[in-house]
Amino acid sequence: MDFSKVTILCIGDVMLDRFIYGNVQRISPEAPVPVLQLNDKKEMLGGAGNVTNNILSLGGKAILIGLIGQDEYAENIKNLTQTQNITDHYLVKSQYRPTICKSRFIAANQQVIRADEESLIPLHHDEVSQLLQSIDQAVSKVDAIIISDYGKGVCHPIVMKHTMQQAKQHNLPVFVDPKSSDFSLYQYATCVTPNIKEASTAVQYPLNNDQDFEQAGKTLLQATQGQAVLITRSEKGMTLIERGKPAATIPSRAREVFDVSGAGDTVIATLTLAYAAGYDLTEAMHIANAAAGVVVAKAGTSTTTIAEVINELKAQDPRSFSETISPSLLHPDQLLEQVKSWKKQNLVVGFTNGCFDIIHPGHIALLKKARAQCDRLIVALNTDRSIKALKGDQRPINNLISRSQVMAAIRYVDAVVAFDEDTPFNLIHLFKPDILVKGADYHNKEVVGRDIVEQNGGKVILAELQEGFSTTNIIDKIANS
């Protein structure tokens, strides 16, 4: 499970969340209210900004579009985005409204009061125009779009319509965390993710059982004319209604809940990342459900990591995790820990790489020979982008997730990882394998990473290729049949 090559465009209401901590020791003589002696303050991105926090925590990249004012809070938001490596130069600085700020005053771990600073006036036409320009400039740089609607104005009908048009033009999925009860505002979204209250308000009846949720999902799907609706059900899990498929409901794992703040942001961030990385919506729902389970067990508005999500998936349903969401494609950091473990056991670690687009007997022969030279074999796959750069826009035939699942099922292979560069040099430098295997059509000096392996006492092996097999020949044969 690796989201490091996925970039998400987040469009929505951006705000500054301030947490102001203190102690209460007396009641004010001026009014029957507590006197809060302030001693600490914390600021973080809120609203659509918290969605980007979740994306980054899970290893993805984020571009943020929204409205901020021309004030101190806006500068604080810019400082936060720059510190966290969130692309923020598409944020629109408005002269018509202040930056939204929510200040929470807390004593003894209890919120005493919340003060909101915001303007709810309709968007000015200049603000709409600048938002559209930002979307146009950013959309070609991303793999998916999230619309984070907090009802503060950015998700204007014109902005929504334009976003959907741009998404269609660039073939991008759009995921929406809704606020409006009129779901036609999110028309043609790939998936809309209301919670119980939002779904119930939109269909105008209470949701009490699985049948209610399924019917509500179908009604909302008709309103969006999209691909799916995912209703989050708090401790009862999630229900996915996908066009043309039976409804699917999954439970949450029973655990102590500390804080549900920001759980919806975690769900949509994880769902979108997983889908953009190649998982289908059902698999993405399982991953998002696990991510939500992690963050609600933490105090305050929190995020999660890939490692935490994987552990939660295993805890929720080990068999389902192994069969449907198994990390057949490992993150390099995960695999590095495994490599260290193998080496501590004095196992010989081998490494080979390639596109492996359509697996054929030639591939199997190479993998068999490679595995015979080592105790554990790592296979590094070119990402889809990397293959396109090497072989043209018509390749790969199978996407990275499909290729990794097939590769992980081959008995000679012990781990699968991916690289986005033209060569696997960085991975070889990271893992420092004992054996580096390439096909005999390479000359020893041409093998990328040879110096690294040999300097660490390893060796390069050029395996004889089985003649008569190639992916290109298979594609040509199919085309001409």
Side-chain angles (χ1 to χ4, degrees):
M1 193 184 302
D2 181 6
F3 302 145
S4 62
K5 302 299 186 284
V6 179
T7 301
I8 307 296
L9 173 58
C10 295
I11 304 170
D13 299 300
V14 178
M15 56 193 73
L16 183 68
D17 279 347
R18 301 171 75 229
F19 297 85
I20 303 164
Y21 301 91
N23 298 314
V24 174
Q25 297 180 342
R26 62 192 178 95
I27 300 298
S28 170
E30 303 166 358
V33 294
V35 175
L36 186 64
Q37 183 68 39
L38 304 183
N39 55 35
D40 196 13
K41 180 177 71 173
K42 181 173 70 174
E43 294 183 343
M44 59 193 302
L45 295 174
N50 189 50
V51 178
T52 63
N53 282 339
N54 279 271
I55 291 168
L56 268 64
S57 179
L58 289 162
K61 300 180 180 69
I63 295 176
L64 182 59
I65 292 180
L67 289 174
I68 55 176
Q70 299 181 14
D71 48 34
E72 180 184 353
Y73 294 151
E75 292 305 313
N76 294 353
I77 284 177
K78 296 286 281 186
N79 289 336
L80 287 168
T81 54
Q82 290 165 14
T83 299
Q84 297 167 24
N85 294 318
I86 297 167
T87 301
D88 66 359
H89 51 266
Y90 301 106
L91 284 172
V92 174
K93 286 191 173 183
S94 171
Q95 60 178 316
Y96 303 102
R97 69 188 65 237
T99 302
I100 300 172
C101 179
K102 295 182 178 180
S103 299
R104 299 164 175 86
F105 295 84
I106 300 168
N109 295 320
Q110 294 291 325
Q111 192 174 136
V112 177
I113 192 171
R114 192 180 93 181
D116 291 0
E117 300 171 69
E118 62 186 24
S119 171
L120 298 180
I121 62 172
L123 260 61
H124 191 276
H125 63 84
D126 286 345
E127 294 174 316
V128 172
S129 177
Q130 291 181 68
L131 286 169
L132 300 188
Q133 290 177 24
S134 290
I135 293 167
D136 291 346
Q137 293 167 5
V139 71
S140 63
K141 300 176 176 63
V142 303
D143 302 294
I145 298 173
I146 290 176
I147 294 171
S148 181
D149 188 358
Y150 274 77
K152 306 299 184 183
V154 168
C155 296
H156 187 281
I158 294 176
V159 175
M160 294 295 93
K161 184 176 181 180
H162 186 80
T163 299
M164 297 305 176
Q165 290 172 341
Q166 286 288 66
K168 182 178 181 180
Q169 182 179 336
H170 290 83
N171 194 29
L172 298 173
V174 180
F175 288 74
V176 180
D177 190 355
K179 181 61 66 175
S180 173
S181 59
D182 180 8
F183 273 49
S184 65
L185 178 65
Y186 315 117
Q187 202 166 49
Y188 307 122
T190 305
C191 185
V192 183
T193 63
N195 58 29
I196 297 175
K197 181 179 178 181
E198 291 161 347
S200 178
T201 300
V203 298
Q204 298 183 334
Y205 58 80
L207 307 180
N208 299 315
N209 51 50
D210 288 350
Q211 290 73 27
D212 290 342
F213 281 94
E214 291 179 20
Q215 184 56 49
K218 291 176 182 178
T219 300
L220 297 177
L221 187 58
Q222 181 65 27
T224 66
Q225 299 184 45
Q227 183 178 336
V229 170
L230 176 70
I231 305 177
T232 56
R233 302 173 57 178
S234 300
E235 73 281 358
K236 294 184 179 180
M238 300 176 174
T239 295
L240 175 68
I241 298 87
E242 194 172 356
R243 189 171 298 280
K245 296 182 180 180
T249 295
I250 57 172
S252 294
R253 183 164 69 99
R255 63 189 303 160
E256 187 172 3
V257 175
F258 283 93
D259 199 329
V260 298
S261 300
D265 296 335
T266 299
V267 167
I268 197 162
T270 313
L271 187 75
T272 308
L273 281 168
Y275 187 80
Y279 293 92
D280 64 31
L281 280 173
T282 301
E283 292 168 337
M285 172 178 64
H286 280 272
I287 297 169
N289 189 46
V294 172
V295 298
V296 299
K298 298 179 180 182
T301 302
S302 304
T303 59
T304 184
T305 65
I306 289 287
E308 289 174 324
V309 172
I310 289 174
N311 288 336
E312 179 67 14
L313 282 165
K314 291 178 179 177
Q316 285 183 357
D317 189 348
R319 181 175 179 181
S320 175
F321 174 76
S322 175
E323 293 178 354
T324 64
I325 317 175
S326 175
S328 55
L329 184 63
L330 296 177
H331 188 281
D333 292 343
Q334 289 176 275
L335 184 51
L336 179 59
E337 294 305 311
Q338 182 63 69
V339 169
K340 289 178 180 178
S341 176
W342 287 338
K343 290 187 175 183
K344 283 182 180 179
Q345 301 172 57
N346 294 318
L347 298 174
V348 176
V349 178
F351 182 100
T352 191
N353 65 278
C355 300
F356 296 98
D357 194 359
I358 299 176
I359 297 294
H360 53 68
H363 289 142
I364 300 300
L366 173 65
L367 296 171
K368 181 179 179 180
K369 291 174 183 177
R371 187 61 168 76
Q373 303 295 325
C374 59
D375 299 309
R376 297 291 184 269
L377 178 62
I378 298 168
V379 177
L381 300 177
N382 293 73
T383 63
D384 298 347
R385 188 217 62 80
S386 178
I387 292 177
K388 288 183 188 297
L390 293 171
K391 298 180 179 292
D393 289 339
Q394 300 305 311
R395 299 283 298 276
I397 301 301
N398 296 300
N399 66 23
L400 177 60
I401 295 298
S402 299
R403 290 183 285 121
S404 68
Q405 290 174 343
V406 172
M407 184 59 67
I410 297 173
R411 65 189 179 100
Y412 306 115
V413 178
D414 297 285
V416 184
V417 69
F419 61 98
D420 196 50
E421 303 81 11
D422 291 339
T423 75
F425 178 86
N426 291 337
L427 291 181
I428 295 171
H429 184 269
L430 180 65
F431 302 139
K432 295 179 176 59
D434 304 298
I435 302 292
L436 180 57
V437 181
K438 290 296 290 183
D441 53 339
Y442 281 81
H443 296 292
N444 197 293
K445 292 183 179 180
E446 296 176 344
V447 176
V448 171
R450 176 182 63 87
D451 293 346
I452 295 172
V453 173
E454 292 179 346
Q455 286 171 8
N456 284 277
K459 61 181 179 179
V460 175
I461 295 175
L462 302 181
E464 289 295 326
L465 298 176
Q466 188 166 340
E467 296 184 3
F469 296 100
S470 79
T471 298
T472 301
N473 289 343
I474 292 173
I475 293 171
D476 291 343
K477 187 174 181 180
I478 293 172
N480 295 324
S481 63

